[in-house]
């Protein structure tokens, strides 16, 4: 049963019971209407209470029904709310814990609302590129005021029930319960107190005006335009709320519905809905059941107090997990601890962290120069120099001192985790945990599964990732894993574009206009161009037929490693990060073209974007084929959370499906005919070619 019916004396109680958040799926909607019918047919019942079982009143639409016929079948949510409004007996919503989206719209359709303190109240549809579609934009302004309602709808952020309940004149809650525990009894008592009250109050009949009218809504549009330039939904939210103030309720409802349906078809909403599902699916590993036992992680060791080691440590300190940092020299430890303190003190200064919390976190941190002090750690993460010989030394030491069952993780960004695991006698306990810099800020964590990595190790690392607020994506073992393997093809194309006539700023501006947070050359300067140089040197030995532009090597030979040296593809003023086009670099590129006998040509922004993005897509398809990633959504999550791919595009694989894989392959065939490009790089991956031929998309 997804909606249970019980009678308590003269009050019927309909309890939504569709775990985990009592989503309003078809069976639940039918259960509500059936409960209303039973209550109306029972002469002994004088009033009705609707509430939710477990940890929510209702979180809104049932995500399992998104995009399916069930979401459209009657009774839809509009019909359920209409049935409540037309009920001849008073219907009281007993709201607790979570009341969001369709759940709040359901409550707004009830005649009365009693709320428990601590309840999160929200209309978060804008985060899916939508607006509330079951009357939320029309009813909420009538009970909390136009400005408060518009702020909630446009931001999608939750507000606590006690905050709303304390606002004078609000009509959202008719009563605030004393506590969550007393809500049920207080709701029953309230229902009995209004059992005979007539006429039954309806939110739709309340007035809805803003004293400044058009001027206020123009101001709101200007604010929204500046905040959400790539997303149409916030501006449409303003339109819908304005309709509530200017039209009759039924007309406003029709306007809301039309706007909702139009938004459903926008690529931005499709991208956000894809992101919503992909993020949840990323935590699911096909052959690792959700009930796989997990190892206890009560203490963490981190090897290396540099930028990465310090950032990694902060994640665990923030989650209340003790950390021991190991370094080879005291000076290195002192520098690392000072950086952690500086980061926390900056948060305190900005008011983002309270002083007592800062002190609590620092109290969880200890340091050592001896591997023996890591013997009690449950998880040990190595964050040392990216060189296999250095990793070998570390893991052989860990194998000697770590307790049985301890998880040994490498923060490697490209190296073979299976080779690293082979340095130990316990390869089943070894896993890759590739954090992204700055590790205390970036959401992405690539979890690299070796061929011997135990399932409970994977399950534990995925759980701990959630605890430290990371988006974890599982990758198989290959050079560069998912993200860096793909970005190498992207960087390769960026170099060819310089050879053919582009400047670094032209390439960066084109891809940033597309929506990337940062173009490839600004990204190289931020990460350090010497890192890519080292990879290319390794490639020259391992894959001598790999083709690159020589411009990046020429840049590094000049010592232009990026922001850390004050000069890279761009020049940088001391202590500033503003990228200033460099005449020295432009001259270097021009001389390189002359030496190579290349006549520069004008390259369009469209070609720049297609070559950069489609290079990611093709390599992503190979990664899927090889089983390095289990689903295309995982690849999108890597790029959305770790590489600055525009959220409104939904990730490279989703974007390619939106463009049409047939069109992607056609463009790749054009690029393959370019003599200055690498034709092999544009050979479509078999999976991509097959899907394009069949008219299909990435799943």
């Amino acid at each position: 049963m997804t909606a249970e019916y019980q009678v308590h004396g003269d009050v019927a109680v309909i309890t939504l019971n569709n775990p985990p958040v009592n989503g309003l799926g078809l069976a639940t909607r039918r259960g509500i209407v059936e409960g209303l019918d039973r209550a109306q047919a029972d002469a002994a019942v004088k009033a009705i209470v609707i509430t939710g079982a477990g940890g929510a009143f209702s979180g809104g639409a049932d995500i399992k029904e998104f995009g399916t016929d069930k979401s459209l079948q009657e009774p839809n949510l509009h019909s359920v709310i209409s049935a409540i409004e037309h009920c001849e007996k008073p219907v009281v919503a007993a709201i607790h814990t979570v009341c969001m989206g369709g759940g709040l719209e359901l409550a707004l359709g009830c005649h009365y609302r009693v709320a428990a303190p601590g309840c999160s109240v929200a209309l978060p549809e804008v985060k899916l590129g939508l607006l509330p579609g079951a009357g939320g934009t029309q009813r909420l302004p009538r009970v909390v005021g136009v400005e408060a309602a518009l702020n909630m709808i446009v931001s999608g952020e939750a507000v606590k029930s006690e905050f709303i309940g304390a606002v004078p004149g609000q009509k959202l809650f008719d009563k605030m319960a004393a506590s969550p525990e007393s809500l049920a009894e207080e709701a029953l008592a309230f229902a009995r107190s209004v059992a005979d009250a007539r006429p039954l109050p309806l939110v739709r009949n309340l007035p809805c005006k803003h004293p400044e009218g058009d001027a206020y809504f123009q101001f709101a549009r200007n604010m929204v335009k500046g905040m959400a330039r790539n997303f149409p939904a916030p501006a449409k939210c303003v339109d819908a709320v304005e309709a509530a103030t200017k039209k009759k309720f039924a007309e406003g409802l029709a306007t809301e519905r039309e706007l909702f349906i139009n938004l459903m078809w926008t690529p931005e909403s499709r991208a956000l809905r894809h992101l919503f599902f992909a993020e949840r699916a990323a935590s699911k590993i096909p052959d690792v059941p959700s009930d796989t036992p997990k190892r206890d992680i009560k203490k963490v060791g981190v090897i290396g107090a540099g930028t990465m080691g310090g950032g990694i440590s902060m994640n665990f300190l923030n989650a209340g997990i003790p950390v021991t940092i190991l370094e080879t020299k005291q000076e290195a430890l002192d520098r690392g601890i000072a950086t952690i303190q500086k980061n926390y003190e900056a948060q305190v200064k900005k008011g983002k962290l309270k002083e007592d919390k800062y002190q609590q976190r620092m109290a969880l941190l200890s340091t050592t120069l001896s591997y023996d002090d890591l013997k009690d750690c449950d998880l040990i993460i190595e964050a040392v120099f990216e060189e296999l010989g250095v990793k070998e030394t570390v893991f052989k030491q860990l194998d000697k001192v770590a307790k049985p069952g301890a998880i040994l993780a490498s923060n490697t960004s490209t190296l073979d985790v299976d080779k690293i695991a082979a340095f130990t006698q316990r390869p089943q306990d070894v896993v890759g945990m590739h954090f992204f810099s700055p590790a205390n800020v970036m959401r992405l964590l690539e979890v690299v599964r070796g061929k011997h990595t135990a399932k409970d190790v994977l399950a534990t690392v995925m759980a701990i990732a959630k605890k430290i607020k990371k988006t974890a994506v599982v990758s198989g073992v290959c050079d560069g894993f998912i993200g860096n393997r793909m970005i190498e093809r992207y960087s390769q194309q960026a170099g060819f574009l310089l050879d053919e006539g582009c400047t670094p700023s032209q390439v960066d501006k084109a891809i940033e206009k597309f929506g990337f947070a940062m173009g490839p050359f600004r990204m190289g300067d931020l990460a350090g161009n010497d890192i890519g140089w080292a990879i290319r040197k390794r490639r020259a030995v391992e894959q001598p037929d790999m083709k690159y532009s020589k411009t990046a090597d020429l840049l590094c030979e000049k010592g232009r490693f990026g922001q850390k040296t004050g000069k890279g593809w761009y020049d940088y003023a001391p202590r500033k990060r503003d990228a200033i086009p460099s005449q020295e670099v432009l001259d270097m590129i021009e001389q390189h073209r002359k030496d190579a006998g290349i006549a520069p040509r004008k390259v369009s922004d469209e070609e720049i974007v297609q070559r950069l993005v489609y290079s990611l897509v093709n390599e992503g398809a190979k990664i899927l084929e090889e089983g390095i990633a289990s689903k295309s959504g995982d690849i999108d999550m890597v790029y959305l959370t770790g590489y600055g791919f525009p959220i409104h595009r939904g990730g490279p694989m989703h974007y390619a499906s939106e463009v049409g894989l047939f069109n992607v392959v056609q463009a790749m065939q054009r690029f393959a005919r370019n003599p200055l490009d690498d034709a092999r790089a544009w050979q479509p991956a078999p999976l991509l070619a097959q899907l394009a031929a069949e008219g299909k998309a990435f799943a």
Side-chain angles (χ1 to χ4, degrees):
M1 289 287 289
T2 55
E4 298 167 355
Y5 181 88
Q6 292 180 319
V7 176
H8 297 259
D10 56 354
V11 179
V13 178
I14 301 170
T15 304
L16 313 182
N17 191 2
N18 183 17
V21 292
N22 299 323
L24 296 169
L26 178 59
T28 306
R29 300 195 302 270
R30 284 175 175 166
I32 295 169
V33 174
E34 288 167 7
L36 293 172
D37 290 343
R38 285 179 69 178
Q40 292 204 91
D42 187 345
V45 170
K46 303 297 183 187
I48 303 160
V49 169
I50 298 179
T51 192
F57 172 74
S58 174
D62 190 332
I63 62 170
K64 294 190 290 291
E65 292 187 3
F66 271 31
T68 70
D69 291 341
K70 279 189 175 182
S71 63
L72 304 173
Q73 286 181 37
E74 293 286 6
N76 61 35
L77 189 52
H78 276 286
S79 302
V80 174
I81 293 170
S82 178
I84 291 171
E85 288 185 326
H86 287 93
C87 187
E88 296 168 4
K89 299 174 182 180
V91 181
V92 179
I95 300 166
H96 66 90
T97 321
V98 173
C99 181
M100 294 188 180
L104 178 54
E105 290 175 305
L106 178 77
L108 287 166
C110 294
H111 302 115
Y112 302 97
R113 288 154 296 281
V114 178
C119 178
S120 293
V121 180
L123 289 173
E125 287 83 355
V126 73
K127 295 184 178 183
L128 296 179
L130 300 169
L131 52 73
T137 65
Q138 305 304 296
R139 291 186 177 91
L140 190 62
R142 288 173 156 81
V143 293
V144 298
V146 171
E147 290 190 29
L150 188 57
N151 287 340
M152 285 179 67
I153 293 166
V154 166
S155 72
E157 297 298 326
V159 181
K160 289 297 181 185
S161 52
E162 57 268 37
F163 174 79
I164 301 173
V167 176
Q170 65 81 25
K171 300 180 182 67
L172 177 54
F173 304 132
D174 298 280
K175 179 179 174 60
M176 287 294 297
S179 69
E181 294 75 21
S182 67
L183 174 67
E185 284 303 316
E186 291 192 58
L188 287 171
F190 183 86
R192 292 186 178 106
S193 74
V194 296
D196 298 323
R198 297 294 185 277
L200 294 172
L202 295 175
V203 167
R204 65 189 298 158
N205 293 335
L206 295 173
C208 185
K209 292 290 177 190
H210 190 282
E212 295 174 29
D214 291 347
Y216 167 73
F217 284 105
Q218 190 53 53
F219 165 77
R221 282 189 181 88
N222 292 339
M223 290 293 290
V224 163
K225 187 177 180 181
M227 292 162 52
R229 64 169 185 242
N230 291 320
F231 297 98
K236 298 302 180 185
C237 290
V238 178
D239 293 347
V241 173
E242 183 179 34
T245 69
K246 292 187 170 182
K247 297 182 178 183
K248 292 180 180 178
F249 183 83
E251 293 171 351
L253 211 57
T255 298
E256 176 195 85
R257 190 67 187 161
E258 182 181 359
L259 292 169
F260 176 85
I261 291 169
N262 288 341
L263 285 171
M264 280 283 287
W265 290 100
T266 61
E268 294 84 2
S269 179
R270 288 197 296 270
L272 288 173
R273 298 197 312 266
H274 167 68
L275 169 60
F276 179 85
F277 288 113
E279 187 164 9
R280 282 149 185 79
S283 63
K284 296 176 174 63
I285 308 169
D287 64 334
V288 181
S290 58
D291 59 355
T292 300
K294 298 169 186 65
R295 303 185 189 185
D296 283 340
I297 305 295
K298 295 178 180 174
K299 186 177 179 182
V300 172
V302 175
I303 300 174
T307 303
M308 285 305 297
I312 290 168
S313 298
M314 288 179 70
N315 288 302
F316 293 97
L317 298 174
N318 296 348
I321 300 171
V323 174
T324 299
I325 298 182
L326 168 75
E327 258 294 355
T328 54
K329 294 181 180 178
Q330 187 63 45
E331 308 90 84
L333 271 179
D334 293 342
R335 281 196 305 272
I337 301 306
T339 301
I340 292 173
Q341 289 174 323
K342 183 181 174 183
N343 287 339
Y344 278 138
E345 285 165 3
Q347 291 179 29
V348 171
K349 193 173 182 181
K350 293 175 184 174
K352 294 181 178 179
L353 182 69
K354 292 184 178 177
E355 179 68 31
D356 61 333
K357 289 282 186 187
Y358 163 41
Q359 297 300 337
Q360 285 171 21
R361 291 174 186 181
M362 290 305 298
L364 293 170
L365 180 61
S366 58
T367 62
T368 184
L369 299 173
S370 171
Y371 275 89
D372 288 338
D373 291 329
L374 302 180
K375 63 180 182 295
D376 294 329
C377 292
D378 305 297
L379 167 65
I380 304 173
I381 304 170
E382 158 275 305
V384 300
F385 187 69
E386 186 76 344
E387 200 276 314
L388 198 61
V390 179
K391 308 284 190 189
E392 179 177 4
T393 301
V394 169
F395 274 84
K396 283 183 174 177
Q397 283 288 334
L398 288 179
D399 199 30
K400 292 176 184 175
V401 302
K403 68 182 182 181
I407 296 173
L408 309 182
S410 174
N411 180 51
T412 180
S413 57
T414 57
L415 299 177
D416 189 330
V417 170
D418 290 329
K419 287 183 180 177
I420 293 171
F423 299 141
T424 74
Q425 301 299 310
R426 48 174 106 181
Q428 73 280 359
D429 295 333
V430 177
V431 68
M433 290 181 71
H434 177 208
F435 289 82
F436 285 69
S437 186
N440 55 308
V441 175
M442 296 293 283
R443 284 175 55 206
L444 178 62
L445 174 64
E446 271 186 318
V447 177
V448 186
R449 180 181 192 173
K451 64 182 176 183
H452 297 298
T453 304
K455 290 184 179 180
D456 67 331
V457 168
L458 271 179
T460 303
V461 170
M462 296 301 281
I464 204 73
K466 189 173 182 181
K467 190 167 186 178
I468 62 173
K469 298 182 179 177
K470 297 295 181 190
T471 299
V473 177
V474 175
S475 170
V477 174
C478 67
D479 197 331
F481 316 129
I482 296 171
N484 283 342
R485 174 172 161 178
M486 290 169 63
I487 210 71
E488 188 171 2
R489 293 298 188 185
Y490 172 90
S491 300
Q492 182 189 33
Q493 281 301 313
F496 292 153
L497 286 164
L498 295 186
D499 291 350
E500 294 173 40
C502 294
T503 64
S505 61
Q506 182 193 355
V507 174
D508 283 349
K509 284 176 182 174
I511 200 70
E512 287 164 12
K513 187 178 178 183
F514 175 78
F516 268 76
M518 195 176 288
F521 298 107
R522 285 180 58 210
M523 182 180 70
D525 279 357
L526 178 64
N529 295 311
D530 51 330
I531 296 172
W533 197 21
I535 291 171
R536 288 191 299 278
K537 287 175 180 177
R538 180 160 62 88
R539 285 277 184 274
V541 175
E542 297 172 356
Q543 295 173 266
D545 59 341
M546 194 86 159
K547 185 178 176 183
Y548 293 101
S549 164
K550 287 185 168 52
T551 50
D553 290 350
L554 293 170
L555 185 84
C556 291
E557 286 166 11
K558 291 178 176 290
R560 299 186 67 102
F561 296 149
Q563 289 185 12
K564 60 188 173 187
T565 57
K567 55 184 182 177
W569 292 105
Y570 299 91
D571 292 331
Y572 298 89
R575 293 183 294 280
K576 291 187 178 178
R577 295 186 177 184
D578 294 335
I580 305 163
S582 166
Q583 189 60 48
E584 181 185 8
V585 170
L586 296 178
D587 292 343
M588 178 197 80
I589 294 169
E590 187 176 350
Q591 185 61 49
H592 161 67
R593 291 187 195 124
K594 287 178 181 176
D595 293 344
I598 299 171
R601 66 181 176 91
K602 185 174 176 57
V603 183
S604 69
D605 285 359
E606 180 185 33
E607 181 181 339
I608 292 170
V609 169
Q610 287 183 343
R611 285 172 64 175
L612 292 177
V613 175
Y614 295 172
S615 66
L616 293 174
V617 172
N618 198 36
E619 197 65 25
K622 294 175 185 176
I623 283 169
L624 279 174
E625 268 180 320
E626 295 167 22
I628 300 300
S630 66
K631 44 196 175 294
S632 62
D634 286 356
I635 296 172
D636 287 334
M637 288 310 303
V638 166
Y639 268 80
L640 291 165
T641 58
Y643 290 85
F645 198 95
I647 289 174
H648 69 283
R649 308 279 188 189
M653 312 311 279
H654 175 83
Y655 175 72
S657 295
E658 285 280 311
V659 170
L661 300 189
F662 174 84
N663 296 324
V664 172
V665 169
Q666 289 287 303
M668 288 170 60
Q669 290 170 348
R670 288 198 305 275
F671 303 148
R673 293 192 288 270
N674 179 352
L676 296 177
D677 206 327
D678 183 355
R680 293 166 304 174
W682 292 120
Q683 181 67 36
L687 174 63
L688 176 57
Q690 178 189 338
L691 292 174
E694 294 173 355
K696 293 180 179 177
F698 292 113

